Amino acid sequence: MSDTPEFHRRRRARLFTVLAAVGFALLLALALWPERIEVSTAKVDRGPVRTTLIDEGRTRMREVYVVSAPFSGRVLRVAVEPGDAVRAGEPLARMTRSSAGFLDPRLEAEARAAVTAALARERAATAERDLAASEATRARQLAATRLIADTARDAAIARERSAEAALQAAIAEVRRARSALLAAGETGGEGAVLVKAPVAAIVLRVPQESEAIVAAGTPLIVLGDPTRVDVVAEFLSQDAVTLRPGAAAFIENWGGEPLAARIERIEPVARTKVSALGIEEQRTNVVLSFDAPPPAPLRVHDFRIDARVIVAERNEAVRVPLGALFRDGDAWSVYVIRGGRATLTRVEVGLEDERFREVTKGLSPGETVVLFPTSEVRDGVRVKALAR
């Protein structure tokens, strides 16, 4: 009976039912099986990690010269302009002596009376000097014949010298009194006096461009030596204490590739500055010098740049991108992809820069970590790397 057609038909029906049930179970398992989460990944590698401080700075010509008026007078129009290169001894401006200011009648009368009094004192001092000279001459003759003591002769000579000094003081007083009444040209200042460049340099500023009467010491032209340029950066005082002279640095954001530099000096005084947010900050100047002569665009004065100073550095550090690290309680952790699954791994970290952080324990070069893990990524979940 087992070989009858009805038996075979029932057996095929049962087999079909079993296969259908198995297929349905497989489909249900596949439908319920969690899909792999797509994640961004990165490789753990070896490379340099640098802890740096960056702040705004400005170029500064080390040697700046302020050429001032050598005397009170009229400065003629200055011919040079900012940016002009000048040689040592090259004329920069011309000046002529100006007459004294106008005097009102009372002051003029006082000045003339002062001259008259000074002349009278000069005449009196001349007479005293002549008398003292005669007495000194007679004393020398008498002392030579032993008619007077040597002390009397010495006293007469001392009175002669004192009278000569008094005469010179009176003459100087006459000159001082006359200076208030001297007109232009009476001091020997006819014609123009050339104001010359003290060194070969570049003109930075011309404070006095137009013709004018100026006092002695008035700044006329500011020169700078472009062959010696430093960088002065203003760092927060709490950052400056971590820096040391000789530390390596880079000059950035000047319009070209970063340039190597070193800290030359850290000024021992801080000043209060108000930030753009209105916060008072204590900042101090850090002076940096270039390792090599700067390019022509940086041989300038007071141009803005950024100074990046290396505080700590390790060249062959095991490093991981910052985006892979996250806090797990009190420790740092990453998700390492092993066997297609995310494995939570605690690590110990060291130095940090803008892109990487050193890992001192927990990772090896060549391992793959998850970048910016979302809340869906958990320990043991299946993941796959996003196509790049």
Side-chain angles (χ1 to χ4, degrees), residues 62-247:
R62 187 175 299 184
E63 303 296 340
V64 176
Y65 304 86
V66 179
V67 181
S68 304
F71 52 81
S72 297
R74 179 179 294 275
V75 59
L76 306 180
R77 188 171 182 84
V78 179
V80 295
E81 295 181 357
D84 290 348
V86 296
R87 300 183 301 274
E90 181 177 337
L92 302 176
R94 292 190 306 153
M95 288 190 65
T96 58
R97 296 185 185 272
S98 62
S99 60
F102 292 108
L103 299 175
D104 60 51
R106 182 178 63 82
L107 294 178
E108 184 177 0
E110 290 179 356
R112 292 188 182 279
V115 173
T116 302
L119 288 172
R121 286 191 291 271
E122 181 185 5
R123 289 192 296 269
T126 302
E128 290 287 342
R129 191 275 313 272
D130 293 343
L131 177 60
S134 299
E135 291 179 349
T137 301
R138 284 195 299 271
R140 291 188 184 95
Q141 293 172 352
L142 293 174
T145 59
R146 296 297 179 181
L147 294 177
I148 62 172
D150 290 343
T151 55
R153 179 200 59 191
D154 294 341
I157 294 174
R159 286 193 296 272
E160 180 188 20
R161 292 175 178 172
S162 177
E164 179 64 31
L167 175 60
Q168 295 301 322
I171 293 173
E173 179 64 21
V174 171
R175 291 174 179 171
R176 188 194 67 79
R178 280 178 171 171
S179 64
L181 296 174
L182 289 177
E186 292 182 340
T187 59
E190 313 92 333
V193 175
L194 296 178
V195 180
K196 299 181 179 181
V199 294
I202 288 179
V203 178
L204 299 181
R205 291 189 297 114
V206 183
Q208 187 62 48
E209 295 182 351
S210 302
E211 180 177 340
I213 295 177
V214 298
T218 300
L220 302 179
I221 301 163
V222 180
L223 304 176
D225 183 0
T227 62
R228 304 181 69 185
V229 178
D230 293 330
V231 168
V232 180
E234 290 188 328
F235 282 86
L236 291 171
S237 58
Q238 60 263 37
D239 292 336
V241 297
T242 66
L243 306 179
R244 295 291 180 270

Side-chain angles (χ1 to χ4, degrees), residues 311-373:
V311 179
E313 180 179 21
R314 190 162 288 110
N315 290 324
E316 288 298 322
V318 177
R319 61 184 188 176
V320 65
L322 294 178
L325 290 162
F326 60 91
R327 297 293 292 183
D328 183 18
D330 295 333
W332 288 99
S333 297
V334 296
Y335 281 113
V336 182
I337 299 179
R338 297 190 180 109
R341 295 180 180 274
T343 303
L344 181 64
T345 305
R346 290 197 170 188
V347 296
E348 295 181 6
V349 297
L351 300 181
E352 177 184 355
D353 60 22
E354 293 181 340
R355 296 179 55 199
F356 299 99
R357 188 153 193 178
E358 177 190 16
V359 177
T360 59
K361 186 177 180 181
L363 291 178
S364 301
E367 290 187 296
T368 302
V369 295
V370 178
L371 288 177
F372 309 107

Side-chain angles (χ1 to χ4, degrees), residues 279-324:
I279 301 173
E280 288 189 353
E281 300 173 337
Q282 291 298 111
R283 291 188 173 270
T284 186
N285 287 340
V286 177
V287 182
L288 302 98
S289 58
F290 292 94
D291 286 355
L298 274 183
R299 295 175 187 173
V300 289
H301 188 71
D302 211 28
F303 274 38
R304 183 193 177 281
I305 52 84
D306 285 338
R308 183 186 299 275
V309 179
I310 298 176
V311 179
E313 180 179 21
R314 190 162 288 110
N315 290 324
E316 288 298 322
V318 177
R319 61 184 188 176
V320 65
L322 294 178

